[in-house]
Amino acid sequence: MGCRQRTGPDESGTERRDTRQPAPGASDPDPGASDQKPGASDPDPGASDPALPRALVVLFAVACGSTVANVYFAQPLLVTIGHDLTMAPALVGGVVTLTQLGYGAGLLLLVPLGDVRARKRLVVTQLLLLVAALVAVATARTAPVLLAGMAAVGLLAVVTQTLVAFAASLADPARRGAVVGLVTSGIVIGILLARTVSGVLADLAGWRSVYLASALLTVVLALVLHRSIPRHTEAATRLRYGALVRSTFTLFATERLLRLRALLCMLVFAAFSTLWSSVALPLSEDPYRLSHTEIGAFGLFGAVGALAATAAGRLNDRGLSAWTTGIGLALLTASWLPLAFTRSSLGALAVGVVVLDLAVQAVHVTNQALVYELRPDAGSRLIGGYMIFYSIGSAAGALAATSLYAVAGWGAVCALGAGISCVAFLVWALTAGGTRSGSRRSGGGRPPVPCAQGVIGNA
């Protein structure tokens, strides 16, 4: 195409890609910039390490799954916690709300620190602080202490997203999608099995044992990660904290692909939350009358979605992100057909759950891989900003689904989920469906960026 990608600092403090032709005779301090791997200008020597051990990637996945589970442990325990601490029903609901608010705050305020601090130290420090928060929850004797501890748990659980950006920075660009997919599979399993695990532990040893066990596991993970993570993890930028947080908004203003993928994230997780926040309602009524443990077991079907995470990452590495997104959104829409028959068939529910979770995770992993590639040196801010829309979508889906079920029943909930999914598919079709993904360079760099189209060609 005759255009070269050059980089230079912009107001966000990151290296900005440019497709302008260099002036004749102008000196170029980096003559190989057009073939440079993402992150190669990052002071972190391990940012493009092609020898990232699979065992370390699996460790990241386990750490992500165990930390994000802390956000969801309380959901099946609310009644028990309320009785134990003599909390009013309205105050019990605040447990989940404060945890989610803390998580949202952490995405904006803590995750971006991965771009200005050594990520190894940041991860270990946040994990140890998370241990303190978990112990505070487990030993709480009053409602205020519990609520403060839950907010702190949510705030510090965002170390999950720091780990995602960290893994992406360590991976060779040619396999970055696969690495992000494998790490995300741990998150999927952690989210879906959190309720089941907390229910079983609470039945065996009380609700406090859930948080004590998690604190112990988190200590072990902090020690193992401290010994396993490479030392060469210097920060990518030297922005002050205030400018760092503001630059997250600047990235949204300047990166169209980030805005598009964040919108898709909000919609797919609104659909995801529409199902998982309300499915217990019809299952606990006639004709099933399932127990909490039996209802939680359906999370095992949803865990199959973890398989889609790794597969989607590999497809993104092959330059097939557009088709992966389109097929995923089509499956997401179709999944609501079997889900609509939940009241008459648990088999239909199982099929719908598998298809929906496969679709959501395929789109989510593709989103994260593409978003990170925009600015590898701003990876933490990109992932954190993107995940804020995950929180918005999840909260909106849960509120809408439970409210709608109360007035119109399960059929209306399924119609809502299908409608949200259709909107997501239309967004993809209207903004990116007519463009090609582009092919990967030999050697594993970014797909070539056409001069006229910019990055949206990879959406």
Side-chain angles (χ1 to χ4, degrees):
M1 296 287 293
C3 66
R4 298 184 59 216
Q5 292 184 27
R6 303 179 63 197
T7 59
D10 69 359
E11 67 275 14
S12 68
T14 62
E15 291 297 309
R16 176 65 179 169
R17 285 178 287 100
D18 193 0
T19 58
R20 293 176 295 180
Q21 289 280 4
S27 60
D28 189 346
D30 183 8
S34 61
D35 294 324
Q36 191 176 10
K37 292 178 181 179
S41 61
D42 191 324
D44 178 1
S48 298
D49 183 4
L52 179 63
R54 183 176 177 83
L56 182 58
V57 181
V58 172
L59 176 60
F60 273 82
V62 172
C64 284
S66 65
T67 52
V68 78
N70 291 299
V71 179
Y72 300 93
F73 280 148
Q75 291 183 358
L77 309 177
L78 293 178
V79 174
T80 302
I81 292 173
H83 287 163
D84 188 24
L85 299 181
T86 61
M87 297 170 63
L91 197 58
V92 171
V95 170
V96 174
T97 302
L98 281 175
T99 307
Q100 291 290 345
L101 287 175
Y103 194 80
L107 290 171
L108 179 63
L109 302 176
L110 294 185
V111 174
L113 289 173
D115 291 332
V116 296
R117 295 287 185 269
R119 284 172 176 156
K120 176 178 179 177
R121 183 181 304 173
L122 184 64
V123 166
V124 173
T125 300
Q126 287 189 17
L127 285 174
L128 293 178
L129 290 174
L130 177 59
V131 170
L134 290 167
V135 171
V137 169
T139 57
R141 298 297 174 185
T142 63
V145 173
L146 175 77
L147 294 173
M150 285 295 188
V153 167
L155 180 74
L156 294 164
V158 296
V159 69
T160 299
Q161 303 309 321
T162 302
L163 285 166
V164 172
F166 198 172
S169 74
L170 292 172
D172 184 277
R175 56 190 291 260
R176 183 170 287 147
V179 169
V180 171
L182 182 55
V183 173
T184 302
S185 70
I187 298 175
V188 178
I189 294 172
I191 291 174
L192 292 172
L193 298 189
R195 302 168 184 85
T196 303
V197 171
S198 65
V200 171
L201 284 177
D203 287 341
L204 292 175
W207 71 268
R208 296 178 188 274
S209 69
V210 176
Y211 294 95
L212 289 174
S214 182
L216 179 60
L217 177 59
T218 304
V219 169
V220 173
L221 286 171
L223 294 174
V224 174
L225 286 167
H226 178 70
R227 294 177 60 89
S228 304
I229 294 175
R231 292 181 181 275
H232 40 269
T233 53
E234 296 300 324
T237 183
R238 300 298 180 185
L239 287 176
R240 293 182 180 274
Y241 180 72
L244 181 76
V245 174
R246 288 194 300 272
S247 70
T248 301
F249 297 97
T250 302
L251 288 168
F252 272 96
T254 58
E255 296 290 354
R256 184 185 176 196
L257 179 59
L258 175 59
R259 297 194 299 271
L260 170 62
R261 289 289 162 170
L263 175 59
L264 290 177
C265 171
M266 183 179 69
L267 291 170
V268 297
F269 277 102
F272 180 87
S273 184
T274 294
L275 171 66
W276 288 108
S277 64
S278 61
V279 70
L281 299 175
L283 294 180
S284 62
E285 300 172 349
D286 292 330
Y288 301 120
R289 295 285 179 182
L290 299 183
S291 67
H292 291 299
T293 302
E294 291 170 327
I295 294 172
F298 276 92
L300 297 173
F301 291 102
V304 175
L307 300 176
T310 302
R314 292 197 181 101
L315 289 172
N316 182 72
D317 289 336
R318 294 172 57 190
L320 299 175
S321 55
W323 290 110
T324 303
T325 304
I327 293 172
L329 293 173
L331 288 175
L332 179 62
T333 304
S335 69
W336 291 98
L337 179 59
L339 289 172
F341 292 93
T342 292
R343 285 195 174 278
S344 58
S345 172
L346 291 178
L349 171 62
V351 170
V353 164
V354 169
V355 175
L356 181 139
D357 277 38
L358 282 169
V360 168
Q361 298 312 319
V363 176
H364 182 45
V365 170
T366 302
N367 285 348
Q368 289 186 101
L370 289 175
V371 163
Y372 183 88
E373 287 177 355
L374 287 172
R375 306 274 194 85
D377 54 339
S380 292
R381 280 168 285 170
L382 289 166
I383 295 296
Y386 164 85
M387 287 298 296
I388 289 174
F389 285 78
Y390 154 86
S391 295
I392 294 172
S394 296
L399 179 62
T402 52
S403 301
L404 190 59
Y405 185 87
V407 298
W410 181 248
V413 170
C414 290
L416 172 66
I420 295 172
S421 304
C422 284
V423 171
F425 183 84
L426 287 174
V427 168
W428 169 82
L430 294 174
T431 59
T435 62
R436 59 186 180 87
S437 296
S439 57
R440 297 276 177 186
R441 291 191 190 102
S442 59
R446 279 180 56 85
V449 181
C451 294
Q453 294 180 1
V455 294
I456 198 64
N458 292 321

